[in-house]
Amino acid sequence: MALSSDSSSPSTLEWKFSQIFGENLPGEDVQDIDIISAVEFDKKGDFLAVGDRGGRVVIFENKAGNHDLLDHTSRSELERLDLVVPQHPEFHYKTEFQSHEPEFDYLKSTEIEEKINEVQWCATPNGSLFILSANDKTIKLWKVKDHKVKKVKEMNVSPFVSSENSLMAESSFINGKHKPNFANGYFLEWTENVANSMSTSHSRHDKVPCSADATPAKCRKLYAHAHDFNINSISMNSDGETFLSGDDLRINLWNLEVSNQCFNIIDTKPESMEDLTEVITAAEFHPFHCNLLAYSSSRGFIRVVDMRQSALCDHNAMIWKDVESHGPKSFFTEIIASISDLNFANDGRHILSRDYMNLKLWDMHMDARPVATYRIHEQLRPKLFDLYNNDAIFDKFDCCLSGDGLHFATGSYNNRLRIFSNGIGSQGLTMEASKNPYRKLQAQTSRRARRSSLSNLTRGFYRQGHGESTTDEFSCDFNSKLLHLAWHPSKNLIACAANNSLLMYYA
């Protein structure tokens, strides 16, 4: 369902499953290094970057948004291919590369994981693909090579050649190898798609691209030795030349061309660590004012600073804090108030933030309270003690907005995706991150309907543990959590990560 023509009155979106990458087979174990840890679209929505705990970055390309094929193919050829351009973006595997390796800090006697914490696309005037990736301590600037067709050869595939040998010939011709470089399966899926396309092809003459350089990406800059604590944020500035990196106590400003020097613009480290009361949890530049940035804290504060006011910006900030959303104070009040993610809307006026229990929309002209608050899993509030004991209360969930700023999304447990629309109630839509996103929810609704038709005595019998459980909303699988997701910048398309699987939904 499309958005309403009146941007001030959003319509309800009907979400459908689109694609899945890295799908698990029944009974297949998920390797820790394959779990996705970062998801990010580029500004145009033509490319999607995915980082994982194994230090790898996988790039997907929107073939529907790439019009090179349409521009350079004759009408008769398009008719022969029966080319159909899909109405919603469809992404295909492009390439992947090893961004970070595990390291050891001998001064602090600590191991530095290869896990990718953040990925961020860089805007370049010449159309080249540049991307920043960061683990706990190091940021790297990568140039992703665009494997365009350099020459086209006419290949006459003999009908007497077996399909297996034909597959080996084509896979080795394109890549110089027939085995995947990495273990996460995206490359393997791509080669299988090549095999399927060959087996279904009815033409004896196939055009095959031949590229001499098979290196997927090259590291152009290395930004290191600037953070004593783990990096939790990187954000490109609208000027296209600078970016920020943030850790628990500091935010640094970098120039893309200068890797051996940065400027510390925010420093919240106290003279004595015993006086530490809060840490920085996320930071992001304003979408078009290059002098403004926002950062959040573990106490639930959002601060917006102007870099023109002073060299060190942490004492000249506009502060937003919602003191009424967490109820009576308890031991867990400050823990669940910690903001795990924040994002500017494209209008530059609104900010979306996510804490453990809520998703909040803020107006920069109103600092007293958020303009909207959406409850994510309020049913877990009575179980905060159990969540604290198993460390689930410290999970960091991402949030994202649609390009028009009218719709918002975040994740929850049981791999559930929560989607809300501004001005259309506060309940929102709940889906499971799977090929059938409404399967489990429909089953639960059916069970509740059956229970509601029973008499009060019978319902009491069931509540005492005889038969169906009435606590569906409390039976959360805390190991299945949808932490990372991103919204396409111009289309109603959401990419979300469920363990090692990447799923996409469109409306």
Side-chain angles (χ1 to χ4, degrees):
M1 186 180 296
L3 283 173
S4 171
S5 58
D6 182 6
S7 61
S8 62
S9 56
S11 60
T12 303
L13 300 177
E14 181 181 351
W15 291 91
K16 299 177 181 179
F17 170 79
S18 175
Q19 292 177 275
I20 183 171
F21 296 93
E23 183 179 12
N24 294 323
L25 298 175
E28 181 182 4
D29 293 332
V30 177
Q31 300 295 323
D32 183 72
I33 62 172
D34 292 336
I35 294 178
I36 297 173
S37 56
V39 181
E40 186 76 16
F41 285 102
D42 75 322
K43 294 298 183 183
K44 294 182 179 179
D46 292 335
F47 297 94
L48 173 66
V50 176
D52 64 22
R53 293 186 182 180
R56 296 163 299 201
V57 175
V58 185
I59 308 296
F60 298 92
E61 182 177 7
N62 175 18
K63 295 296 185 181
N66 189 346
H67 300 291
D68 289 344
L69 179 63
L70 300 179
D71 296 337
H72 297 89
T73 307
S74 65
R75 181 180 181 87
S76 60
E77 186 71 9
L78 290 176
E79 292 176 353
R80 187 185 71 82
L81 294 174
D82 193 20
L83 184 65
V84 177
V85 179
Q87 296 299 316
H88 62 278
E90 287 187 2
F91 284 81
H92 301 267
Y93 171 89
K94 178 179 177 63
T95 188
E96 65 180 289
F97 56 91
Q98 188 71 33
S99 174
H100 288 73
E101 300 279 358
E103 302 176 21
F104 190 81
D105 188 339
Y106 291 96
L107 294 178
K108 297 183 179 180
S109 296
T110 57
E111 184 178 355
I112 302 174
E113 291 183 320
E114 67 270 35
K115 171 191 170 186
I116 303 297
N117 292 339
E118 289 284 330
V119 289
Q120 187 81 193
W121 289 95
C122 304
T124 53
N126 59 358
S128 299
L129 298 179
F130 283 90
I131 187 170
L132 291 166
S133 61
N135 68 350
D136 286 342
K137 301 296 182 183
T138 306
I139 305 168
K140 295 182 180 181
L141 176 65
W142 294 89
K143 181 178 181 181
V144 182
K145 297 185 178 180
D146 193 5
H147 294 293
K148 293 184 178 179
V149 176
K150 294 184 178 179
K151 56 184 176 179
V152 177
K153 291 186 176 182
E154 294 288 342
M155 294 187 62
N156 187 1
V157 182
S158 172
F160 301 104
V161 178
S162 68
S163 59
E164 180 181 359
N165 291 336
S166 177
L167 169 60
M168 292 177 63
E170 171 150 338
S171 62
S172 61
F173 183 78
I174 296 176
N175 305 289
K177 56 182 77 69
H178 63 275
K179 293 182 180 179
N181 284 334
F182 306 100
N184 64 0
Y186 299 122
F187 187 88
L188 183 58
E189 287 184 7
W190 183 79
T191 55
E192 289 174 350
N193 289 337
V194 171
N196 292 334
S197 65
M198 288 189 64
S199 63
T200 56
S201 174
H202 298 289
S203 174
R204 296 181 58 185
H205 296 277
D206 297 320
K207 293 184 178 181
V208 180
C210 177
S211 177
D213 188 359
T215 306
K218 182 178 181 180
C219 184
R220 301 297 297 269
K221 297 287 182 181
L222 178 67
Y223 313 91
H225 312 298
H227 289 278
D228 293 329
F229 302 92
N230 293 344
I231 297 172
N232 55 42
S233 302
I234 54 175
S235 176
M236 276 298 302
N237 201 342
S238 59
D239 60 13
E241 299 178 357
T242 57
F243 71 94
L244 66 78
S245 61
D247 63 25
D248 291 344
L249 297 179
R250 293 187 177 96
I251 295 177
N252 296 328
L253 180 67
W254 301 82
N255 188 295
L256 280 173
E257 299 299 325
V258 182
S259 59
N260 59 356
Q261 183 183 14
C262 66
F263 298 95
N264 179 226
I265 55 176
I266 294 175
D267 188 348
T268 62
K269 183 178 180 181
E271 294 184 3
S272 172
M273 292 298 286
E274 295 179 355
D275 299 329
L276 183 67
T277 58
E278 63 179 336
V279 297
I280 298 170
T281 56
E284 181 172 296
F285 269 118
H286 193 276
F288 48 84
H289 290 309
C290 61
N291 55 291
L292 296 179
L293 66 93
Y295 68 96
S296 57
S297 79
S298 58
R299 293 179 61 192
F301 291 97
I302 296 178
R303 295 176 172 89
V304 176
V305 299
D306 189 339
M307 294 189 296
R308 298 173 299 182
Q309 294 184 354
S310 64
L312 200 61
C313 307
D314 46 300
H315 297 298
N316 299 284
M318 298 177 287
I319 302 177
W320 284 264
K321 169 69 173 179
D322 184 12
V323 296
E324 301 177 357
S325 65
H326 301 288
K329 283 193 173 184
S330 67
F331 174 77
F332 306 106
T333 300
E334 286 197 0
I335 298 177
I336 63 175
S338 177
I339 296 175
S340 57
D341 191 26
L342 84 164
N343 289 281
F344 274 103
N346 287 337
D347 61 8
R349 174 173 173 173
H350 295 89
I351 298 175
L352 185 70
S353 69
R354 169 69 200 266
D355 58 43
Y356 187 72
M357 302 295 291
N358 306 299
L359 188 68
K360 298 178 182 178
L361 181 67
W362 301 82
D363 188 334
M364 292 181 63
H365 297 174
M366 299 171 54
D367 59 356
R369 63 180 62 86
V371 295
T373 300
Y374 304 97
R375 312 294 183 186
I376 305 303
H377 35 226
E378 192 67 19
Q379 71 275 7
L380 296 181
R381 191 175 292 275
K383 304 188 70 176
L384 292 179
F385 183 79
D386 296 331
L387 296 169
Y388 178 80
N389 285 336
N390 62 19
D391 288 339
I393 199 172
F394 301 106
D395 287 333
K396 307 298 182 184
F397 293 92
D398 289 352
C399 61
C400 59
L401 306 88
S402 60
D404 56 15
L406 299 178
H407 308 278
F408 328 108
T410 188
S412 183
Y413 295 106
N414 292 342
N415 284 336
R416 289 182 178 176
L417 175 64
R418 302 296 312 279
I419 303 175
F420 303 90
S421 298
N422 190 17
I424 307 182
S426 60
Q427 296 300 317
L429 175 69
T430 302
M431 302 189 304
E432 180 197 9
S434 66
K435 285 186 175 181
N436 185 357
Y438 304 103
R439 172 174 51 89
K440 289 186 178 180
L441 299 176
Q442 290 170 348
Q444 290 182 7
T445 303
S446 175
R447 287 198 296 270
R448 293 192 187 101
R450 289 198 302 268
R451 287 196 297 265
S452 64
S453 64
L454 300 177
S455 67
N456 184 58
L457 292 177
T458 307
R459 289 200 300 271
F461 175 78
Y462 275 82
R463 280 196 294 268
Q464 293 173 14
H466 303 282
E468 295 182 79
S469 170
T470 61
T471 58
D472 293 327
E473 63 272 19
F474 287 97
S475 57
C476 282
D477 180 3
F478 298 114
N479 294 319
S480 300
K481 45 198 172 188
L482 200 154
L483 299 178
H484 308 288
L485 72 169
W487 202 302
H488 191 279
S490 59
K491 305 291 185 180
N492 286 319
L493 179 88
I494 297 176
C496 55
N499 288 328
N500 66 330
S501 299
L502 179 69
L503 299 102
M504 298 188 191
Y505 301 92
Y506 72 95

